């Protein structure tokens, strides 16, 4: 099993090919098209160090409505920790594939794991040009015992990083809650207490016009907080793809389906994708804020006074089951994910 995985990792073979293997070539209508899309200066970069809290809330609210995306700076996470974190994941993905597979095979429940393309590799028609490492975002020994021990600084750096990410997530969720007119603590607890870490790695690709790192999707999260240092992430806005500009030491935040439901569609889960490039490997680190499985996902009551609820209630576990059944990489079905629970008939 491990041997098979390590041979499939894009990072294990990308440099022995002059051209893109057939199983990675998207059909013409699904290809990324124009690669040099404009980098978007209009996706707001919000200064969390500002003392004008009302203004900060307003900026985040507007960005969440307009784009489902914003970036944050002056967030309190040190530049050194951000650099160390990016370095440790780059180093991880550059290790020999066998070592990577071994370092990620300690967890009997397979919550800590390495995979390539998507978790649905066996059933995909076309594979994505990415490898991924994921594990729960909790930092207690119960979880940490299964994390990689190579690179040697992995556990130390990633533990500190995840502690900071948790705090930052709580700050952002308070600002989002207040913007929606909910209590600042609204998202504390069950709505946000099952975070996951996901490190994506996209090796250089001989022909980026044929491949995708990730197809158009919305995240099944409450929100996602991403670290990126290289271009590649694009947002679908008003029928066009726009690039999310890497801002040094900023975090990119995007709204997921769960917040779309809870906000009764005041915020929309942002559609995004990842394109590849031929020059450098791109490594990103996502902190995915998920509810716990039994948490009830439904439009917040306070948001259903003037507007009827647009979605049925369901547990997060049920939501995920729906999500996996409806979101097939083969079809462009970001809307289909919510159709089964939509009350509006649209
Ligand atoms: O790597 C990126 O830039 C984005 C990754 C992403 O969208 C995801 O993991 O859901
Ligand atoms: Fe995503």
């Amino acid at each position: 099993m491990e041997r098979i995985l390590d041979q499939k990792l894009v990072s294990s073979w990308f440099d022995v090919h002059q051209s893109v293997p057939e199983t990675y070539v998207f059909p013409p209508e699904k290809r990324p098209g124009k690669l040099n899309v404009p980098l978007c200066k209009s996706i707001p970069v919000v200064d969390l160090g500002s003392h004008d809290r009302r203004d900060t809330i307003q900026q985040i609210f507007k960005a969440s409505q307009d784009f489902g995306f914003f970036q944050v700076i002056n967030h309190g996470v040190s530049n050194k920790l951000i650099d160390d974190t990016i370095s440790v994941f780059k180093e991880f993905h550059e290790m020999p594939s066998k070592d990577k597979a071994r370092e990620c095979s300690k967890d009997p429940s397979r919550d800590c794991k390495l995979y390539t393309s998507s978790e649905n590799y066996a059933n995909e028609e076309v594979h994505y040009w990415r490898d991924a490492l994921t594990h729960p975002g909790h930092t207690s020994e119960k979880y940490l015992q299964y994390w990689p021990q190579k690179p040697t600084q992995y556990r130390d750096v990633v533990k500190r990083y995840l502690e900071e990410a948790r705090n930052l997530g709580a700050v952002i969720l308070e600002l989002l809650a207040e913007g929606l007119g909910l209590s600042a603590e609204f998202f504390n607890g069950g709505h946000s207490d099952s975070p996951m870490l996901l490190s994506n790695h996209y090796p250089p690709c001989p022909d980026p016009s044929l491949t995708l790192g990730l197809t158009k999707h919305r995240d099944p999260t409450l929100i996602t907080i991403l670290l990126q240092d290289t271009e590649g992430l694009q947002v679908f806005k008003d029928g066009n793809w726009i690039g999310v500009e890497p801002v040094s030491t900023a975090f990119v935040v995007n709204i997921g389906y769960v917040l779309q439901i809870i906000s009764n569609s005041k915020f929309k889960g942002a559609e995004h994708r990842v394109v590849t490039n031929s020059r450098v490997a791109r490594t990103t680190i996502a902190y995915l804020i998920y509810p716990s499985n039994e948490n009830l996902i439904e439009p917040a009551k306070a948001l259903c006074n003037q507007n009827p609820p647009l979605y049925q209630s369901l547990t997060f576990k049920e939501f995920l089951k729906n999500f996996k059944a409806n979101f097939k990489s083969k079809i462009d079905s970001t809307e289909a994910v919510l159709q089964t629970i939509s009350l509006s008939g649209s």
Side-chain angles (χ1 to χ4, degrees):
M1 175 76 186
E2 262 172 58
R3 269 243 330 274
I4 295 169
L5 168 68
D6 71 49
Q7 290 167 12
K8 283 186 192 151
L9 292 172
V10 182
S11 50
S12 72
W13 52 255
F14 76 97
D15 50 357
V16 301
H17 290 274
Q18 307 290 338
S19 60
V20 176
E22 216 170 291
T23 49
Y24 287 79
V25 175
F26 276 81
E29 69 283 4
K30 297 271 175 64
R31 290 179 194 165
K34 206 166 118 220
L35 280 166
N36 292 324
V37 300
L39 278 181
C40 186
K41 301 277 181 204
S42 53
I43 292 180
V45 179
V46 180
D47 181 355
L48 291 186
S50 153
H51 294 294
D52 189 344
R53 187 173 173 86
R54 290 219 354 233
D55 180 57
T56 307
I57 290 171
Q58 194 49 39
Q59 284 184 45
I60 288 184
F61 183 80
K62 189 154 186 330
S64 301
Q65 283 197 315
D66 294 350
F67 293 95
F69 260 93
F70 55 92
Q71 306 209 42
V72 293
I73 53 169
N74 288 327
H75 37 60
V77 185
S78 77
N79 294 351
K80 165 94 168 69
L81 183 56
I82 289 179
D83 289 347
D84 287 353
T85 303
I86 293 180
S87 297
V88 93
F89 282 103
K90 280 189 190 296
E91 226 180 288
F92 172 84
H93 290 288
E94 273 155 23
M95 293 193 316
S97 296
K98 275 207 183 83
D99 292 359
K100 285 187 282 195
R102 194 184 51 237
E103 289 303 309
C104 299
S105 59
K106 299 168 197 163
D107 185 353
S109 65
R110 304 262 312 131
D111 286 336
C112 176
K113 63 174 171 264
L114 181 67
Y115 60 91
T116 190
S117 186
S118 85
E119 294 192 66
N120 198 25
Y121 183 94
N123 300 313
E124 291 166 350
E125 276 174 10
V126 184
H127 302 309
Y128 303 119
W129 197 267
R130 79 147 178 180
D131 297 333
L133 159 64
T134 187
H135 59 68
H138 295 302
T139 54
S140 59
E141 190 53 34
K142 177 177 164 208
Y143 297 96
L144 191 141
Q145 62 178 319
Y146 300 126
W147 294 2
Q149 282 168 296
K150 277 185 183 175
T152 48
Q153 67 284 24
Y154 185 96
R155 291 187 178 183
D156 170 49
V157 170
V158 176
K159 180 169 193 275
R160 285 189 286 125
Y161 180 73
L162 287 174
E163 285 162 358
E164 293 288 343
R166 184 187 58 209
N167 295 338
L168 176 61
V171 166
I172 294 169
L173 287 174
E174 275 191 11
L175 295 165
L176 283 163
E178 287 186 49
L180 286 166
L182 303 170
S183 72
E185 309 79 42
F186 187 88
F187 294 115
N188 290 1
H191 281 331
S192 61
D193 63 4
S194 300
M196 294 292 289
L197 172 124
L198 170 66
S199 175
N200 298 299
H201 182 70
Y202 314 92
C205 172
D207 189 345
S209 72
L210 304 177
T211 55
L212 283 168
L214 276 175
T215 193
K216 178 162 121 183
H217 70 282
R218 304 181 208 201
D219 295 346
T221 57
L222 186 60
I223 60 170
T224 301
I225 302 179
L226 183 87
L227 256 188
Q228 63 159 358
D229 68 350
T230 309
E231 287 168 28
L233 176 61
Q234 300 183 341
V235 181
F236 197 58
K237 162 88 172 143
D238 302 331
N240 295 307
W241 286 104
I242 49 181
V244 182
E245 182 182 28
V247 173
S248 120
T249 72
F251 287 93
V252 179
V253 182
N254 71 270
I255 307 295
Y257 276 118
V258 175
L259 186 49
Q260 175 167 340
I261 296 170
I262 295 175
S263 73
N264 205 27
S265 241
K266 269 211 153 80
F267 299 152
K268 292 272 169 38
E271 290 183 306
H272 54 286
R273 71 176 184 186
V274 177
V275 297
T276 61
N277 78 76
S278 57
R279 294 163 290 109
V280 288
R282 176 169 183 269
T283 301
T284 63
I285 301 113
Y287 183 70
L288 308 163
I289 303 187
Y290 287 112
S292 47
N293 273 335
E294 301 316 321
N295 189 253
L296 203 60
I297 310 298
E298 61 185 359
K301 299 269 182 318
L303 302 178
C304 298
N305 294 332
Q306 266 120 44
N307 306 304
L310 296 174
Y311 305 105
Q312 291 170 29
S313 310
L314 76 179
T315 62
F316 182 61
K317 192 176 176 179
E318 289 167 330
F319 167 81
L320 267 190
K321 210 170 116 200
N322 260 320
F323 174 80
K324 287 182 182 153
N326 287 325
F327 188 81
K328 302 266 186 339
S329 59
K330 279 180 263 183
I331 48 168
D332 199 6
S333 61
T334 55
E335 289 306 330
V337 171
L338 291 177
Q339 241 159 39
T340 47
I341 60 161
S342 173
L343 293 172
S344 66
S346 67

